[in-house]
């Protein structure tokens, strides 16, 4: 990514600039202190020698000695300058590497988020295009028809409405997913009783539960989970929605909650179609739908639900797992810490 590369380059220059200013200030102070000390010492010696009463025969020795003292001072100063120069050169090289490393680390979360956004946009536009392509081709075929009957026109409109409904469902799913991309607001965190999560999630699907004659079995104690209530309800709702969607009419769906060592374990158990072992690693990926031939026609969805659920679980620092036997049913387990401690990151 060019944007990140150029930001990393600029940040490296800033960090290196700061390091070099500090290093040069330190060198200058060191030079001043050492040079002043040695000059004072040599001046003292010079004064003592100058004041020494000597016979004229020894005067050339005195002059030679004073010249040697001056040479010693010059040599000391130039050696000190060379060493400090070498030190600053080494600081420049090591500091350059270190600055680049720090700049990359500082920018990594931004880079990850930009890449995620890019993937999201690519996936979303791909999925949005499908219903639009269907609508376009149906309309084109109808327009080519010279004598389009009212019945055909009505059929076309009905089919278009279906595609529009899909687009609406898809954009609603994308919006929900985007909402949870932002992160958890610590101010919105409260202790939510598991029983209330179940009640609120069930409320959303009363109609479908009745329509599919699903028997609901709910077991929850007094345990509470620290979290954002609306997203936790959304999490249970996604799992419950799937359990209802992928279960036969008249089957039982269980919602269970139990305390588990400083955490709470929520389980959503169904006796539906189940998931093949080969699909399990992918079902939490965005837009992934297992067994397309089976589910695309019969069950509506865009493969967004479980990625939303996973995102909510991650935000609450929990874990989600699934056990499933095809044609027997699935159990989704979510383990959430009873207490939410916001993570502190260095960068
Ligand atoms: P969607 O249900 O919209 O397709 P999800 O992300 O919620 O998307 O689920 C991804 C896939 O995982 C589904 O297409 C389905 O194949 C499978 N799946 C999820 N939950 C269940 C379940 N309870 N029983 C069977 N299959 C499931």
């Amino acid at each position: 990514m060019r944007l990140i590369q150029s930001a990393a380059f600029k940040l490296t220059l800033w960090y290196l600039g700061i390091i070099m200013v500090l290093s040069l200030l330190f060198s200058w102070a060191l030079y001043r202190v050492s040079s002043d000390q040695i000059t004072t010492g040599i001046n003292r010696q010079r004064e003592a020698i100058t004041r020494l009463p000597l016979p004229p025969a020894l005067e050339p020795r005195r002059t030679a000695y004073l010249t040697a003292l001056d040479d010693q001072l010059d040599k000391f100063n130039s050696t000190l300058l060379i060493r400090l120069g070498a030190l600053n050169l080494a600081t420049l090289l090591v500091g350059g590497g270190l600055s680049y490393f720090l700049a990359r680390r500082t920018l990594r979360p931004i880079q990850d988020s930009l890449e995620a956004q890019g993937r999201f946009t690519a996936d979303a536009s791909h999925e949005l295009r499908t219903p639009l392509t269907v609508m376009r081709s149906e309309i084109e075929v109808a327009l080519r028809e010279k004598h389009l009957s009212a019945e055909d026109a009505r059929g076309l409109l009905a089919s278009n409405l279906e595609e529009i409904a899909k687009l609406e469902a898809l954009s609603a799913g994308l919006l929900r997913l985007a909402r949870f991309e932002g992160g958890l607001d610590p101010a919105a965190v409260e202790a939510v009783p598991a029983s209330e999560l179940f009640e609120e999630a069930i409320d959303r699907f009363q109609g479908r539960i009745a329509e599919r004659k699903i028997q609901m079995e709910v077991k929850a104690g007094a345990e509470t989970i620290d979290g954002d209530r609306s997203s936790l309800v959304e999490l249970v709702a996604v799992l419950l929605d799937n359990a209802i969607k992928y279960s036969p009419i008249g089957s039982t769906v269980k919602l269970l909650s139990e305390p588990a060592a400083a955490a709470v374990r929520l389980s959503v158990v169904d006796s539906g179609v189940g998931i093949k072992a080969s699909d399990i690693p992918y079902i939490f990926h965005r837009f992934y739908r297992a067994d397309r031939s089976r589910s695309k026609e019969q069950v509506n969805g865009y493969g967004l639900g479980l990625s939303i659920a996973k995102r909510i679980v991650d935000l609450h620092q929990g874990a989600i797992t699934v056990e499933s036997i095809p044609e027997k049913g699935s159990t989704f387990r979510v383990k959430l810490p009873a207490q939410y401690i916001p993570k502190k990151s260095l960068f």
Side-chain angles (χ1 to χ4, degrees):
M1 281 200 180
R2 273 190 34 223
L3 185 74
I4 292 287
Q5 278 299 344
S6 112
F9 180 66
K10 282 183 195 150
L11 208 54
T12 304
L13 287 185
W14 270 104
Y15 286 157
L16 189 59
I18 293 168
I19 292 174
M20 286 318 294
V21 166
L22 291 177
S23 171
L24 287 170
L25 280 176
F26 171 76
S27 306
W28 178 77
L30 195 71
Y31 179 76
R32 287 261 35 110
V33 171
S34 314
S35 173
D36 284 357
Q37 261 178 7
I38 198 91
T39 310
T40 315
I42 284 183
N43 282 347
R44 240 184 252 132
Q45 275 189 49
R46 168 193 287 282
E47 274 169 33
I49 291 167
T50 316
R51 262 193 259 112
L52 209 67
L54 285 178
L58 288 180
E59 263 324 311
R61 293 278 296 276
R62 186 204 309 262
T63 316
Y65 191 76
L66 289 176
T67 316
L69 273 182
D70 284 345
D71 287 351
Q72 211 181 331
L73 183 62
D74 287 348
K75 204 167 160 209
F76 174 82
N77 281 339
S78 56
T79 311
L80 188 62
L81 273 178
I82 290 170
R83 289 206 178 142
L84 287 175
L87 180 78
N88 277 287
L89 191 66
T91 310
L92 183 73
L93 295 176
V94 176
L98 191 71
S99 301
Y100 184 70
F101 172 76
L102 285 178
R104 299 283 338 183
R105 268 202 83 155
T106 313
L107 292 171
R108 194 176 304 149
I110 301 171
Q111 181 171 8
D112 288 350
S113 138
L114 280 177
E115 280 171 5
Q117 263 182 35
R119 281 197 301 271
F120 181 85
T121 314
D123 288 351
S125 35
H126 178 261
E127 292 295 321
L128 285 167
R129 232 186 351 239
T130 315
L132 287 175
T133 314
V134 173
M135 281 167 70
R136 168 186 270 273
S137 56
E138 282 176 353
I139 293 169
E140 277 172 357
V141 169
L143 280 178
R144 255 184 259 127
E145 196 70 49
K146 286 221 174 65
H147 310 287
L148 188 71
S149 70
E151 198 186 333
D152 288 343
R154 209 168 284 123
L156 169 76
L157 290 176
S159 161
N160 278 188
L161 263 184
E162 259 174 46
E163 297 305 322
I164 288 170
K166 283 187 195 166
L167 281 172
E168 279 171 351
L170 182 56
S171 65
L174 289 172
L175 279 176
R176 277 191 299 160
L177 197 58
R179 196 186 129 212
F180 296 116
E181 287 290 328
L184 198 60
D185 174 10
V189 171
E190 56 176 310
V192 192
S195 55
E196 289 181 18
L197 289 182
F198 289 170
E199 271 168 37
E200 289 183 39
I202 292 173
D203 265 359
R204 288 197 192 179
F205 300 105
Q206 286 296 6
R208 296 244 323 279
I209 291 171
E211 188 188 310
R212 296 186 63 81
K213 301 186 176 62
I214 300 286
Q215 309 290 318
M216 289 300 308
E217 227 180 270
V218 182
K219 241 185 246 167
E223 55 280 355
T224 59
I225 302 156
D226 269 6
D228 171 55
R229 177 184 284 265
S230 69
S231 42
L232 289 174
V233 172
E234 181 75 35
L235 161 68
V236 178
V238 165
L239 299 178
L240 180 59
D241 181 25
N242 282 348
I244 299 169
K245 250 180 3 186
Y246 297 106
S247 290
I249 292 180
S251 63
T252 302
V253 171
K254 297 182 197 164
L255 294 182
L256 314 171
S257 160
E258 52 187 343
V264 175
R265 187 179 295 118
L266 307 178
S267 310
V268 181
V269 188
D270 68 55
S271 44
V273 294
I275 308 160
K276 280 193 284 178
S278 56
D279 284 321
I280 287 184
Y282 307 105
I283 56 171
F284 295 99
H285 292 186
R286 230 168 22 213
F287 299 115
Y288 186 82
R289 304 204 73 210
D291 201 348
R292 281 164 184 268
S293 60
R294 178 196 69 191
S295 49
K296 259 256 145 95
E297 274 96 43
Q298 297 173 4
V299 184
N300 288 330
Y302 279 95
L304 288 176
L306 287 181
S307 58
I308 293 172
K310 172 90 171 66
R311 180 74 194 131
I312 297 171
V313 171
D314 288 347
L315 287 177
H316 288 81
Q317 296 159 16
I320 182 164
T321 52
V322 58
E323 269 169 39
S324 189
I325 303 173
E327 307 311 327
K328 286 255 175 333
S330 316
T331 299
F332 281 84
R333 285 200 183 84
V334 177
K335 197 173 170 189
L336 295 166
Q339 245 191 327
Y340 175 75
I341 301 160
K343 267 191 200 149
K344 287 199 174 70
S345 77
L346 187 57
F347 295 103

